[in-house]
Amino acid sequence: MTPRTLRLSGTAAAVTAGALLGLLGVTPSAAASAPTVEASFFTGAQQTGEETAVDLGAVGVCTSLPLSARSAVNLSAQDIDVFFRPGCETGTPAGPGDIHYVLGSLHTASFPFPALSYRVRPVA
């Protein structure tokens, strides 16, 4: 059996995410913290705090976050590489290394360290 990956357009991803929230019994008041764009970083854990939109058009470009992020949501069809060091350098805040986070399409995340920069991957 060959594993397959399902990629959805931005609109399909939003509709799918909305349907999943409905199936999970999330009420409109609980969904009030939903992102206002397809992909966002948040200063607090579990998508709380100040929201910073991801520039999905800047594919392959290292982008610095204006505020460090502790969580994110990605309802787009693109994956996002998240870095805990400035300039999309891999590693932890303590020093360089090979650690970074891949925020997959249609996923949320809480990060082990504050995120400082990101790079949007091209759609495969």
Side-chain angles (χ1 to χ4, degrees):
M1 175 180 242
T2 303
R4 297 177 193 246
T5 302
L6 175 65
R7 297 276 183 190
L8 301 174
S9 70
T11 303
V15 170
T16 302
L20 288 173
L21 289 175
L23 288 173
L24 294 173
V26 175
T27 62
S29 62
S33 63
T36 58
V37 294
E38 287 186 274
S40 296
F41 287 96
F42 296 87
T43 57
Q46 299 178 347
Q47 295 74 49
T48 61
E50 288 192 46
E51 179 179 2
T52 300
V54 172
D55 182 1
L56 294 171
V59 175
V61 177
C62 180
T63 304
S64 295
L65 289 164
L67 300 169
S68 62
R70 293 306 307 221
S71 63
V73 62
N74 182 6
L75 300 178
S76 77
Q78 296 166 276
D79 292 340
I80 302 167
D81 291 325
V82 180
F83 301 91
F84 309 116
R85 297 182 58 80
C88 296
E89 181 184 349
T90 57
T92 68
D98 61 353
I99 295 174
H100 76 286
Y101 192 97
V102 178
L103 178 60
S105 174
L106 300 177
H107 279 84
T108 62
S110 289
F111 304 124
F113 307 105
L116 301 179
S117 55
Y118 70 91
R119 183 179 298 124
V120 176
R121 290 184 178 184
V123 176

